[in-house]
Structures are given as structure tokens and as C-alpha cells.
Amino acid sequence: MNVKKTKGGLALIIFCALVITISTTTLCAENEIVTKITRVDTTQTLQSFDHIGEFHTIDFVGDYQYLLDIVNNWFADGKNQNTNNYFCSLFSALGNVDELLMGRNFDNPYCDILVGRYNPPDGYSNIALNRLADIGLPAGTNFQNLSYNQSLRLLFSPYFAADGVNEAGLAIGIAYVPGVQIQVDPTKESVWVTRVIREVLDYASTVDEALAIANSYNVFDTGTNNDILSHHYIVTDASEASYILEYVVDQFVAIVPTVDWQVLTNSHIYNIPLYQLLNGCWRYNILYTSLQNYGGCVDFREGFELLSNVSWGNQTNGTQWSTMYDINNCGTFISTYRDFENLVYVDVANFEFLNYSGYDILNFSYQDDNANYIIESEESAEFYLMFEPAFTSTGVTGILHTDDPDVDILNDEVDFGTVNAGNFGYNGGDPFIIQAVTDMTPHTVDFSITLVTDYDFEYVYDFSVFIGSGNLLLVNDDPENNYSSFYQDALTEHSRTGHEWDTSFLGEIPIALCDAYGSLIWFTGDASEDILSPVEKMLLKDFMDSGGNVFLTGQDVCECINGTDLFSDYFHAQLELEAWPFYDVSGLDADPVGDGITFSISGGNGANNQITQSAICADAQAVTCLTYDGCPVSCGVRYDGLYKSVLMSFGFEGISTLADRAEVMNRIMEYFEVPVSNDPQNPEQDIVSLSPAFPNPFSSLTNISFSLPHPEKVKIQIYNLKGQLVETLLDKQKPAGNHTMEWNAEQMSSGIYFIKLITEDKHIIQKVVVIK
């Protein structure tokens, strides 16, 4: 419909929460009432009641005028009158004709939120928000299993709208204000405050029509004679007009802004000087001055930032919902319980809740051509992304990007289609594809995947992948991923590079990647619990059993693995004291790691994160290499046997200078005999390899493939999660080349198992999952 545009003020209505309590006694007559309703499609309306995110929804079908009259008669009889003074904040932003917005915070004790669409047969379709407690369904109600009588209460929801927008592009909201006495006109019907919002949403397309509707009633909320009004309204329409409707003497008057914005909180506005409003309410001051700085032009994200600045409390008591009404498109953005990052959008026409909340990234993985997880020069790799939206996302396209000149993107765009809430998007059949260029230097490459919907919402997922072959494997097991650079920089000082694997991002380390390196560094950063899963402990033990060297460091790692055979039998260490409060460290004389070195693990340009470092000592098979200065306890244990290991009971990243970090790192790398070239220590063509089992997970049969560089005896065994041998599949001499065999797990129960390939000088373990 055409609406004449006149320059005015777009009012965003911020409703101070009103508390309406409809007692159980009052609504005992639902069954009798519903039998008389012939204009409401009761079944379809009640069946539409649903639960999305942190709120509930209903799509009301039919004419509810009779229901409005019933509820209004209860109030006219002086029943259920109860209002509480709670802060709310509202504003309108009118400076951009193409983005007219009205924002509001609804502040209240905790309430369950209902978002409804209403379609009066002779009026405008509209969306409105209200509290389910207002219709007799208080907090604590089991909304997943409503009784029949409880469900019938949903039919009264149209009456209790606290704010909303209609298909004509008109929005309205309400806020508490100190009460005034109204002059009751016996020729007018007396209605409770929210009935005005309902009538305006149903029948007004302009602010002038809204004013006329408000003045056609005696409007009250309390008073022995239904003659006290303690609320005012803000209305905004598509012509850029905004009114604050406030009762003065004997009627509502329209307060029209002289600027391109308008603000409403909980003070009277009529004839009140601006300076008094700014000084009298901190929320009014913040909103007004912020909108003044914007010139009344904000987008919905900026609008929610303003609402965030004037929100208060918590989910128990404070801002319960925030809305940003999109006047131009007759819809609204919604945030619940002060979670301003998670937004959803719904419009009147479609009543479809679209995701503006970002995505929960469930998994990222990649696969290179030869499946060893080393993306070498001229080798391509496939990227796979799995994500879940908080709300429906339609027409999702993923676009891969990097600025790194050492990577060519061969497939940069993936169509994920529509992904509904509760489902996930996954590009298993259409991976992103990259290729490393010729003669690139091993390094970490920064990528981004932008997920774009067909309604122009964008979410950017940033991640990094290492390309090339490093000198050793660097395992980043720090949950916050803060300290990688301390290790890479120390390695670089002596011309080495760690092939970095981030466990918090990429998950457990593939066996194939461990097989490519003879030494690894594993750091745990600020992790304080659940350090090293059972699978990771088994991987480390198998790596060392195969002759692999390990440097393990972290301020809480020793406490977490204390009591395990990994700690006592592989690192040959014992825990002496937890949270040892010393920060100066010295090396042991004549020790290949510690001789002549001293350093601090506090201050300088280190991580400054060491607060729970511990004290350890070596058993009879290992030696102490580092001690705390002036103390009879040590913090570094070194072992030299079938493999070599260094265990630090503090975080290496805490060492206070780069020079000291580089020296300590170089000592350990020379002890491990790690070369400074960037060639893999075990060239692919000269190693035993075990390919990923396929399929995995599986129910009964999976294929196991392995490759031998020369003829040798091979043993393949299956272990359960407890480390117990459950089956030997192969134990014989095999020729050089590629081999495949089948494992029939029909007799096995569901769970995690490990495939172990054993040759004369190699042990490889792979995890598989049996699902029945």
C-alpha cells in the first residue's frame, strides 16, 4: 500500500515492562469460552505453537476480536490490575529513509517470551512480542508438554502485545511512566494499556491513525475506578514519522521530534526540557547522545550496540528481550536475554525465523592427495566444513579466500543450500580445493571461509593450515591458541620450522602425520585439566615405542598425567610439588640440554602466564636437566633410551627472552638430532604407511590399507579402548607395495577401537569407530 512520506521522527519504542497477572481462577472458563469461538481456527493456531532458540512462537489463525472483548471485560470489572515499575529503553532512528528502525529493550523479571504473528481478517497482519506469564503460563511451565487447558490460554495472547510491527510498516511499543489520573469519558470503551497496542497493530498504518485509536478509548492500567495510567507509547511509521503518545489532561498528545531520532525511557516527555531528560536518566542520555553522534542513521547492528549499552541485569532480572523493528521491510530483529551476538530476523509476510547469529563450527578437516596431512609443493588438498546454525539459513554459499601467494585456490565456492536449525551444513560431496605452489617455504597459511545467505547475511570463519614439510611436528594443545608464535619463533632462530597441528581446531593428530616426523614438540599452554586424552596418551607412547623423540611442556601437564604409565614409564618422571612458586631456572652442568644456561620464566617478552608450574624429579633411568634456582627441586627431566624425551614442568613459552627461548630450543633440537633443512626426516617413499580405514565409522566391515617400501614381516592387531588386544588380523611376511585387507567387526560391540600395524622398526596406530 502507498503511504505518504512526511519528514518527521521515526520512533523506536522501548517498553518498560508491565506486569500483568491473569490468575488461574480467572481463566478457569476457557473451555466454556472456546466452545463459543467460531471465528478462530483453534486447532491450527494451537498446533502452530513452537519453540525456537530461547523463545516460543505462535501463528494465530482467525478473528480474535471476541477474545479481546472477553479479556477486556475482566479488566473493566477491576480484576487483575497490577503493574510494576521496571526500566525499559526505546528509540527511533529516522536519518536514513532506506533503513528506518525502532529499537527497544523490554526489562522485567525473568519471563518466557512469545513471538506471534496475527492476521485480523479486516486489518493488517502483524508480529508482536509478549510474556507468556501474562496469559497464565508463568516461568517454570513445561512448554514442551502443555495440558489442554494450558494450551487454551495461548488464545489470549493477542491482547497482551508489548511491542510489534505490522505489514503497513508501523511499529509501536510501551514503557512505564509515573501514573496520571485519566478523565473517564462514559461514551468511550475503557481498555487496558496493551489493548491499544493490539488495535494499533491491527488497524493503523500511520502515527496519526495510531493517535486517533489511542484517543478513542479510556486507557488505564490501575486505579480503583480504572482511572490511572502509568505507561506511554512510541509509534513509528514508514513515512519517517515518529510520535511519543503521552496522556495529558484529558487525551493522548503526540510529541513529535525536531531531529532525526527520538528516545523514550521512563520519564514524562511532554513539556520537559531536554537537559532535564538527559540529566534525569542515564539510559536516555546514552541513547540520545549516541543517536545524535550518528545523526539518526544507524544500521541494525549499530542499533543493537546502543541497546546493549543501556541494557542491565541478567536473565533472572533485567533486559529480557531486545528488538530492532525494520520499518522498511515490516519485520524485526530479535535478541533474547542480553545475548546481542545471537540475532534472528522475522518478517510479517513469511514468519520465517532467519539466522543472523553466526554459526557453530562443528568440524573442519582437510585431506591432501597422499593422505599424510602434509600439503607439499604442487600437492592439492580438500577442505571440509561442518557447521550448525542457531536458526534457519537459506541459500548458504561458502567462499574460500586467502591472500597467501603460495596457495592457489582451485575451488573457492561451495553451495550448502538451506540449512535449518537443528541440522548441519556439510560439503562432503563438494570440497573446497587448494594447491600449494612450486618451491614454497613451509609456513602457516591463514584462510577464511565466508558463509553468505541469500538474504545477504555474512559470517566469516577464520582458520590456519600449515603447508609444506617442517623439521618436526609441533602439536599446539593450548585451548586458547595463544602461544604458538613463542615456539615457531624459537625454532626459526636456528633455521627450523615446526609443522603445526592445532588440536583445538583440527582435533586428534592423524597417525600418518606422526609417521612423517621423527621428533615432536607438544605444548599445552594454559590448559589446566583433561590434558592428553586416552587416545593421545596412547599415540605418544606408540610414537616413542617407534623411536620418536618427544619434548612435552606445560605448567599443568605434569599434574594431569601424574599416575599414568606415560609419566612414569615413558618420561621417567615423578611429581614432587604442585604450583611451585619459583621462576628462575638453571641447567645442570655437563648436560646436553642444561649445561651453562640460566633463564627466568616470568617477565620480559615471554608469555607471562606461569602461575601453577610444578616441581618434578627423574627416576633412576633418566636425569635431571633443569632446576629451580636456590631450591632442592627440579623442573626438567631428560631421558635417552630407545627414544629421547625432554619433559618440562613449566610452559616453555614463559621463558622471558627470545634469545633464551631460542637457545633452550636449539639445545633440545640438537639433542634430538633434528636437522635444520626443511626436508621431512622420513621421506614418504621410504616409510611404512597405514591409510585411513574406510569406511569409518562402520557397523561390520572396513578396509585396512597399508604400504611397505620393502618386503618385511607385518603384524596387524586390534585393541579396544582399554588397550586390550581383541584380535590379530595379520602376522606374516609381506612383499613391498600396497596391500588391502578387510576387518570383520560383526562380533564386536559399539565403541572405539585401535588398529595397530607393527613392522621391525615401525608401530602405527589408527582409531576406528564401530557403530551398531
Side-chain angles (χ1 to χ4, degrees), residues 450-769:
T450 302
L451 299 174
V452 185
T453 68
D454 58 9
Y455 50 91
D456 296 327
F457 170 63
E458 294 187 2
Y459 175 80
V460 179
Y461 174 57
D462 297 314
F463 62 96
S464 301
V465 173
F466 191 88
I467 64 171
S469 299
N471 308 104
L472 75 161
L473 180 58
L474 177 62
V475 181
N476 181 351
D477 201 16
D478 169 29
E480 300 300 323
N481 195 19
N482 291 326
Y483 306 121
S484 171
S485 63
F486 292 92
Y487 293 82
Q488 292 286 21
D489 290 347
L491 287 165
T492 302
E493 287 291 301
H494 290 274
S495 301
R496 297 184 181 91
T497 302
H499 182 131
E500 186 169 349
W501 184 271
D502 180 357
T503 60
S504 63
F505 164 54
L506 293 168
E508 294 175 355
I509 310 166
I511 300 296
L513 183 57
C514 290
D515 289 341
Y517 295 101
S519 298
L520 66 80
I521 301 169
W522 195 305
F523 68 94
T524 62
D526 291 334
S528 59
E529 56 186 19
D530 299 327
I531 298 175
L532 297 180
S533 69
V535 172
E536 290 171 332
K537 291 172 185 170
M538 181 174 289
L539 180 148
L540 279 172
K541 290 189 290 186
D542 239 61
F543 184 75
M544 289 187 272
D545 283 341
S546 301
N549 306 316
V550 176
F551 168 29
L552 177 64
T553 174
Q555 60 178 321
D556 288 305
V557 67
C558 292
E559 293 94 317
C560 283
I561 65 173
N562 182 38
T564 68
D565 61 348
L566 175 65
F567 189 59
S568 59
D569 298 343
Y570 283 81
F571 287 106
H572 296 278
Q574 298 173 3
L575 183 66
E576 289 201 325
L577 296 167
E578 297 183 12
W580 187 245
F582 284 82
Y583 297 90
D584 294 324
V585 177
S586 294
L588 271 292
D589 292 340
D591 186 87
V593 172
D595 185 39
I597 61 174
T598 61
F599 56 84
S600 173
I601 56 174
S602 175
N605 60 22
N608 284 299
N609 65 326
Q610 302 303 296
I611 55 175
T612 55
Q613 64 273 18
S614 57
I616 56 175
C617 64
D619 70 8
Q621 301 181 58
V623 296
T624 295
C625 59
L626 299 171
T627 65
Y628 291 111
D629 278 357
C631 302
V633 292
S634 60
C635 51
V637 169
R638 179 178 60 81
Y639 173 76
D640 189 349
L642 174 64
Y643 55 89
K644 295 177 180 180
S645 68
V646 173
L647 174 65
M648 289 181 177
S649 59
F650 60 88
F652 170 89
E653 68 276 3
I655 298 177
S656 61
T657 70
L658 175 57
D660 286 338
R661 290 194 296 274
E663 177 62 22
V664 173
M665 182 65 76
N666 189 50
R667 295 281 190 94
I668 296 172
M669 294 301 100
E670 288 183 343
Y671 173 59
F672 285 173
E673 300 180 357
V674 176
V676 296
S677 71
N678 285 318
D679 297 326
Q681 296 181 45
N682 297 304
E684 178 193 354
Q685 64 270 20
D686 195 35
I687 63 172
V688 176
S689 65
L690 177 64
S691 299
F694 182 82
N696 184 28
F698 64 99
S699 59
S700 57
L701 297 176
T702 190
N703 294 307
I704 301 171
S705 299
F706 60 95
S707 178
L708 302 175
H710 48 75
E712 61 182 311
K713 186 176 181 180
V714 179
K715 183 182 292 186
I716 296 180
Q717 297 175 321
I718 308 297
Y719 290 81
N720 62 19
L721 192 57
K722 296 180 179 179
Q724 300 167 326
L725 176 66
V726 297
E727 187 173 350
T728 297
L729 301 181
L730 179 68
D731 188 5
K732 63 168 55 177
Q733 187 78 14
K734 301 292 288 185
N738 299 321
H739 305 271
T740 299
M741 62 182 302
E742 189 176 73
W743 177 35
N744 187 335
E746 186 68 38
Q747 302 304 314
M748 302 295 171
S749 58
S750 296
I752 296 174
Y753 294 85
F754 299 92
I755 302 170
K756 186 173 185 178
L757 182 148
I758 305 169
T759 64
E760 182 178 353
D761 58 0
K762 199 72 173 176
H763 292 182
I764 304 174
I765 293 179
Q766 181 183 125
K767 182 179 72 174
V768 292
V769 180

